[in-house]
Amino acid sequence: MKTRESDYHHGDLRQALLQAARQTLEQNGPSSLSLRELARRVGVSHAAPYRHFTSREELLIALATDGFDELTSRLRAAEKATGTLQGMGQAYVGFAVENPSLYKLMFSPELDRRRPELLAEAAAAAFGLLREQTTADDGERSGTLAAWALVHGLSQLLIDRLLSEELLAADRLPALVTAVLGHLRVEPPGNP
Amino acid sequence: MKTRESDYHHGDLRQALLQAARQTLEQNGPSSLSLRELARRVGVSHAAPYRHFTSREELLIALATDGFDELTSRLRAAEKATGTLQGMGQAYVGFAVENPSLYKLMFSPELDRRRPELLAEAAAAAFGLLREQTTADDGERSGTLAAWALVHGLSQLLIDRLLSEELLAADRLPALVTAVLGHLRVEPPGNP
DNA sequence: TTTCAATGTTGACAGTGCCTACTTTGAGGT
DNA sequence: ACCTCAAAGTAGGCACTGTCAACATTGAAA
């Protein structure tokens, strides 16, 4: 690997900032996530981030978008591996529990207004997968909606620690998700 | 009503601040909710709020606590009026949709750490009602959990506008909630 | 009437987002 | 090999914020 003589130019500041942001996000929560702090952490001046993000909000949006992409790929993998709604639900909740602050950020009210297309698309991709898995043949979509709401709500409850703490253990999650999803009546997308 | 000669003392600054906070919260979102702005709005100096709240966070906590109390009383009313899970679900989602920013605040990650007892208690009261309505006699609680996660998740999806906008109309909500809850299998708390 | 704790005010400090003007650098065209 | 120039980084400043300490005003209790 080549070491650069002068480090005036960082090399890949954008990625370094995102990475540092993700780290401090999960460690200290979203309140302390300031551009200046990130710049300090990466060893760069306080205005440097503005060469890569036009505002703090855009940095957050980039974080959230990456999050949705990651969630999508994990859902896709679970779909390939198990092909069941339970499997995808476990993947969904697993992601949320492993990245609680990021998951919260993805649905943060600070990103509500002007939610840009990138974010919307990434989110739609993730949820579209769930939709395929649950669309019934009665033309109704409420089954999809119910499943979606269920995993989303369960994730939030777990993250917010409104359930008993033990349920957060990774080896307990699959059973929990299966049990909760078991209360759902949806026709599988099979033959009519 | 008596008008006070000098307005050095506000009268009920704490309540006025909370009220103003709630207003700006629903109007401009949570980002612009600053103590100084509130003080300005209420016509008081920038440090006056600190006589009633030791920090900005505590102001937010008070807001959230009030929110949980309100939600609880609405759930209680719905329980008395309808006695059904659907009725309570409609009340729950209705509250969330009518006070989207407040609802988000109630589950905001900024209040995660040190979530004080008051908040936890108020939240527990609200969710305890749901629990009564769904506890099956098999000793299992996953039914309660499923119902809870369902209304919570549905509320979030609606607030975040991840569903088609028309569903947000007040007259559409009851049907939507009923449809979604219809996909839930829970034994009513009746006789064995 | 006097006292005093509760409630407001002023001024200051550090931290933040973001803007403008300046500097350094590496890559591409001649 | 040189020049150029846009991309990427720096320095400084502005307006705003949360929070603290010191001071001012007040209504109500003693």
Side-chain angles (χ1 to χ4, degrees), chain B residues 75-90 125-137 140-141 143-145 147-148 151 181 184-190:
Chain B
L75 284 181
R76 214 185 300 276
E79 187 191 30
K80 276 233 167 92
T82 75
T84 69
L85 182 61
Q86 277 76 16
M88 295 181 67
Q90 288 171 15
F127 295 134
L129 286 177
L130 275 184
R131 176 161 305 163
E132 291 173 20
Q133 199 60 241
T134 55
T135 301
D137 40 15
E140 267 286 334
R141 290 293 173 85
T144 302
L145 189 48
W148 185 3
V151 289
L181 276 179
L184 209 57
R185 271 193 299 114
V186 269
E187 300 90 300

Side-chain angles (χ1 to χ4, degrees), chain A residues 22-27 67 70-71 73-75 78 87-106 151 154-161 167-174 177, chain B residues 113:
Chain A
R22 187 127 168 205
Q23 222 170 350
T24 58
L25 185 65
E26 295 300 348
Q27 281 176 353
E70 211 169 308
L71 175 57
S73 78
R74 283 182 62 160
L75 285 181
M88 295 181 68
Q90 289 171 14
Y92 190 106
V93 178
F95 173 83
V97 168
E98 284 171 33
N99 311 280
S101 292
L102 177 61
Y103 187 80
K104 282 239 154 192
L105 175 68
M106 287 159 57
V151 288
L154 180 58
S155 300
Q156 298 266 5
L157 292 182
L158 285 169
I159 289 177
D160 284 331
R161 291 179 153 61
L167 291 179
L168 270 177
D171 55 335
R172 292 273 219 121
L173 276 188
V177 174
Chain B
R113 332 243 165 203

